[in-house]
Amino acid sequence: MRSSHRIVLSGAKSLAICAVLLAAVVLPAAKLAAQDVTLPLKTIEAKHFTQAEGLGLSQEFIDQFYEGLRTELPKTKLAEQVVEEGGTVADADAANSVVVEGKLLSKKSGFVGIVRAEINLYRRSDHSLIKTITPEIPYKPSPLNTDKTIGHSTGRRAAYEIMRALKTK
């Protein structure tokens, strides 16, 4: 004995199911298209980071964070070239070039110090957002550390957080 089950859906229900299925397919595809960059990139431009309102980091810390980030990015081999803030990039290379912008959110000292940052990666050609990451970058507190040494070391570690973010989609 064979029974057949028929599911009868009203027009509104079937339309809703189709809309949900379409959204399940289209939205992830759009997200992947926004993140689509080919490694190695042509260029990466690192911009100076800003700081959250009331954070009170010294300008030396921010400058050293930028220098650490800029000096470490070439070692990640993410791009053929790392350009300074405001550097020029050929129009043909802009689609496969990334701009790194960010904001330092907090700096906490303790047994292990942590600098929290929000890092945005944009495609240079159309300034579309590729990815946003908020890493917590550890550093070793010491009475010998200065804003210069902490800023430089956390900037260097930020370069590897960017590498990890671009290699995982």
Side-chain angles (χ1 to χ4, degrees), residues 4-8:
S4 83
H5 297 286
R6 290 182 100 191
I7 299 175
V8 179

Side-chain angles (χ1 to χ4, degrees), residues 109-144:
S109 294
F111 183 70
V112 174
I114 302 235
V115 172
R116 223 172 107 245
E118 178 183 86
I119 302 173
N120 298 311
L121 306 170
Y122 294 97
R123 184 174 289 112
R124 186 172 180 123
S125 59
D126 58 2
H127 205 66
S128 62
L129 181 66
I130 297 169
K131 196 172 246 189
T132 298
I133 58 173
T134 23
E136 292 188 348
I137 305 163
Y139 67 92
K140 185 175 180 181
S142 164
L144 303 175

Side-chain angles (χ1 to χ4, degrees), residues 54-144:
L55 185 56
L57 295 174
S58 70
Q59 190 60 45
E60 182 180 35
F61 182 93
I62 295 168
D63 290 343
Q64 288 301 314
F65 185 91
Y66 171 73
E67 284 302 315
L69 176 65
R70 235 182 25 89
T71 57
E72 205 65 23
L73 277 172
K75 295 175 187 174
T76 65
K77 299 190 187 320
L78 286 173
E80 293 173 13
Q81 182 182 16
V82 177
V83 296
E84 298 215 12
E85 187 169 358
T88 58
V89 173
D91 290 339
D93 296 338
N96 200 33
S97 296
V98 170
V99 176
V100 178
E101 295 178 354
K103 180 185 278 191
L104 299 169
L105 302 174
S106 65
K107 178 183 171 214
K108 297 178 184 173
S109 294
F111 183 70
V112 174
I114 302 235
V115 172
R116 223 172 107 245
E118 178 183 86
I119 302 173
N120 298 311
L121 306 170
Y122 294 97
R123 184 174 289 112
R124 186 172 180 123
S125 59
D126 58 2
H127 205 66
S128 62
L129 181 66
I130 297 169
K131 196 172 246 189
T132 298
I133 58 173
T134 23
E136 292 188 348
I137 305 163
Y139 67 92
K140 185 175 180 181
S142 164
L144 303 175

